[in-house]
Amino acid sequence: MTQNVGGLGAGIGVGPYAELTFDSDGDVDRATFGPVERMEATDLLVFAHGWNSDRSTATRLYDRFFAPFPGLVGSGVRLGYVGVVWPSIRFSDEPIPDFDPPGALAEPGFGTALDPATRRALGGFWPGRGAELDRVAELLEERPESQAAFAEFGALVRRLCGADGGSAAAPDEVPPALFTDDAVEVCRALALALVEAGGAPLGAGDGQDRGLDGGLRGLWGGAKELLRQASYYQMKKRAGVVGERGLGPVLAELAVARPALRVHLIGHSFGARLVSFSLRAVPDGARYVASLTLLQGAFSHYVFCDRLPHDKGHGGALGGLQRRVDGPVVACHSPYDSALKVFYPLASRMAGDSAGLLGFDERWGAIGHDGVQAVPGVPRLSLDAALRDGLPTSGCVSVDAGSVVRRGGAPSGAHSDICHAELAELVVNAGRMGR
C-alpha cells in the first residue's frame, strides 16, 4: 500500500501523499487513517477513482492528476494528497488515455473472449464465483448460435452481480432491466449500442457475422458488454456504500481531530458517486468540505434536486446535500463520453421508459453527460469561461469540459480522459486555493 507522509509516495510525484483503503462494505483499513490524520497540510485533496481501475491504475491516475497542483496554489496553501482506494475492476481490453499505447485508442473494436488479465480481475471482484466465471468465459470464447446459450449466459450474469428482478430501483436510478429482460434482446441492444459508441461491428473477430443479420453468433459482443455492465452495476451500488459508510465517517472523524483542515473532494466516474455520497455523513452546519469536483460522474443528473421532474413526490438521492459543501459542487461533463451518453441510460430504454414525455435520456441521464439537472439557478459554463471568469462560491455549477475531455476508444469514449492541467486548475478555483 502506498503511503509516505513525510515526502513523496511510491509512484507519486507530489507529497505528502497517502491512501485511504476501503473494502466493499465501506470499512476503512485503520492503518491507512493515521498517515492522513498526521499530514501537515492546510488543504487536503481527496480523490476517488472510478470503475475501470485496479490499484496500479488508480495510483497512476493520482500521480498524473495531482502533478500540476503544486504550481497552481497560493503561497499560504500547504496541500496534502489522498488517494481513495476501493474495490473496483480493470477491463484490460478497454483503453485508457494517457495509460495505454496511443494505438490502442484507435483500435476499431475488441474480441468477445476474455483476456487472461480480465479473467483474473473478475475472479478478484467476484470471489468464490470461479465456476460461473469459467462458464461465462467458455461461452464468450465459443459464441454458440443458440438461444439456450444466451439464456444460460444471462442467468450466470444475474447470479454474479446479485441482480434481483423483483427489487425496486430508487426513482432517480436506472432499474436493472439489463439483467431481467430476455437475454437475446438485451445482447442485441448492447451490440447495437457498441456500434453507436464507435466499437466493432457485431461479432467482429473472425471475419464473419459482421452485421445485424449475422445470426445469434453475431450478438456475443453484446453479451460481453452485458458482463461489463454487470460489474458496473455492482460497482455503482458499492460506490454509494463506500462513500456513505466509509469515506464520509472517516472525514467526519478527521474533522474532529483537525478542525482547521479544509477538504476538497474529487471523484471520477463511480468515484464521483462515492465522494458525493460521503456528504450524507457530513453533520448539518459543518463546513470542512470546502469543495466537490465531479469528473464524468456516473450517476443521476438529478441527484441533487429536491423534486424529480417526472416524479414530484421524490427528490434526488442526495437532494439538497450540496448545501453541506462550503463552496461549489462542480459537475464536469463532456459530449465525447460514450459510456455516459450511450450505455448509462440503456437499461431505461429497454424498460420502455423512452416513450415518456421527457424521453429516456432526460429521465435517466448521467451527471457526467449533461451536468446538474432540475436544480434551479445552476450556472452552465464552458471550461474556458469557468477558468477565465471564476466559479460561484457555493451551490452547483455545470462545466462543459469537452474542450479537453475528448480522447478515447470504444466502448467508453472519453470517459477516462481526465488528466488535464485545466481540470486541476478548476479544482483549485473551486477550493479558493489559487494565487
Side-chain angles (χ1 to χ4, degrees):
M1 133 186 356
T2 305
Q3 295 179 16
N4 191 326
V5 174
L8 308 185
I12 299 292
V14 296
Y17 172 81
E19 288 174 354
L20 281 171
T21 302
F22 298 90
D23 66 16
S24 58
D25 295 320
D27 293 328
V28 67
D29 180 348
R30 293 300 305 182
T32 68
F33 178 73
V36 175
E37 184 183 25
R38 293 190 295 271
M39 277 188 181
E40 293 295 330
T42 60
D43 294 76
L44 205 63
L45 301 175
V46 180
F47 194 169
H49 64 79
W51 67 40
N52 195 27
S53 295
D54 53 21
R55 191 181 198 101
S56 172
T57 306
T59 300
R60 292 162 68 195
L61 169 64
Y62 299 149
D63 179 47
R64 289 295 298 273
F65 191 83
F66 285 148
F69 280 88
L72 296 173
V73 298
S75 58
V77 176
R78 299 192 311 277
L79 290 179
Y81 303 86
V82 176
V84 174
V85 178
W86 60 286
S88 183
I89 185 172
R90 171 83 200 273
F91 276 78
S92 58
D93 62 2
E94 184 174 323
I96 298 178
D98 299 312
F99 299 157
D100 292 309
L105 302 180
E107 289 296 321
F110 42 85
T112 63
L114 289 180
D115 63 278
T118 299
R119 172 61 184 85
R120 288 192 298 271
L122 288 169
F125 188 70
W126 285 310
R129 296 291 191 176
E132 290 94 333
L133 287 168
D134 286 343
R135 180 55 179 158
V136 161
E138 184 179 0
L139 288 168
L140 289 173
E141 177 79 29
E142 296 178 356
R143 297 194 294 152
E145 195 161 3
S146 159
Q147 289 195 4
F150 278 93
E152 180 187 4
F153 187 89
L156 288 166
V157 169
R158 283 195 299 274
R159 197 178 309 158
L160 286 170
C161 70
D164 181 359
S167 61
D172 70 328
E173 298 295 349
V174 178
L178 285 170
F179 313 116
T180 59
D181 286 1
D182 177 77
V184 170
E185 293 310 310
V186 166
C187 293
R188 188 184 309 278
L190 287 169
L192 279 166
L194 284 169
V195 174
E196 184 179 347
L202 305 182
D206 61 1
Q208 301 176 0
D209 303 322
R210 300 183 66 87
L212 282 174
D213 298 326
L216 294 178
R217 186 172 171 82
L219 303 183
W220 282 99
K224 185 177 182 180
E225 183 59 32
L226 178 61
L227 178 66
R228 194 188 307 266
Q229 292 293 322
S231 73
Y232 298 165
Y233 173 71
Q234 192 78 28
M235 281 185 280
K236 181 178 182 179
K237 296 189 296 182
R238 184 176 293 178
V241 168
V242 174
E244 181 175 0
R245 302 179 188 174
L247 180 62
V250 164
L251 293 178
E253 181 180 352
L254 181 64
V256 172
R258 299 281 303 280
L261 190 63
R262 302 171 74 240
V263 175
H264 307 274
L265 298 175
I266 310 160
H268 169 235
S269 185
F270 285 141
R273 178 181 170 92
L274 190 158
V275 295
S276 295
F277 271 68
S278 76
L279 297 178
R280 284 184 169 174
V282 176
D284 288 335
R287 312 310 297 173
Y288 57 84
V289 178
S291 67
L292 172 61
T293 304
L294 311 175
L295 306 173
Q296 302 311 115
F299 60 121
S300 173
H301 57 192
Y302 294 138
V303 68
F304 292 113
C305 76
D306 292 322
R307 291 289 180 269
L308 296 171
H310 54 279
D311 184 355
K312 298 296 186 181
H314 294 89
L318 302 178
L321 292 193
Q322 66 270 26
R323 301 181 186 97
R324 296 185 179 179
V325 179
D326 188 29
V329 173
V330 183
C332 295
H333 56 96
S334 170
Y336 304 105
D337 186 333
S338 301
L340 301 183
K341 179 180 180 180
V342 177
F343 291 101
Y344 185 88
L346 187 60
S348 174
R349 179 192 303 179
M350 292 179 179
D353 292 324
S354 60
L357 188 63
L358 294 171
F360 79 91
D361 277 330
E362 290 78 8
R363 184 169 176 178
W364 302 105
I367 200 168
H369 171 58
D370 57 4
V372 177
Q373 300 293 323
V375 176
V378 172
R380 303 188 66 84
L381 307 175
S382 68
L383 180 58
D384 288 345
L387 295 179
R388 182 185 65 244
D389 303 328
L391 295 165
T393 57
S394 64
C396 295
V397 56
S398 298
V399 176
D400 185 341
S403 59
V404 295
V405 181
R406 56 190 307 119
R407 297 178 302 142
S412 293
H415 185 67
S416 295
D417 184 21
I418 60 168
C419 291
H420 299 281
E422 293 89 342
L423 297 181
E425 185 178 353
L426 194 68
V427 173
V428 169
N429 291 354
R432 293 158 285 177
M433 296 179 285
R435 296 176 175 177

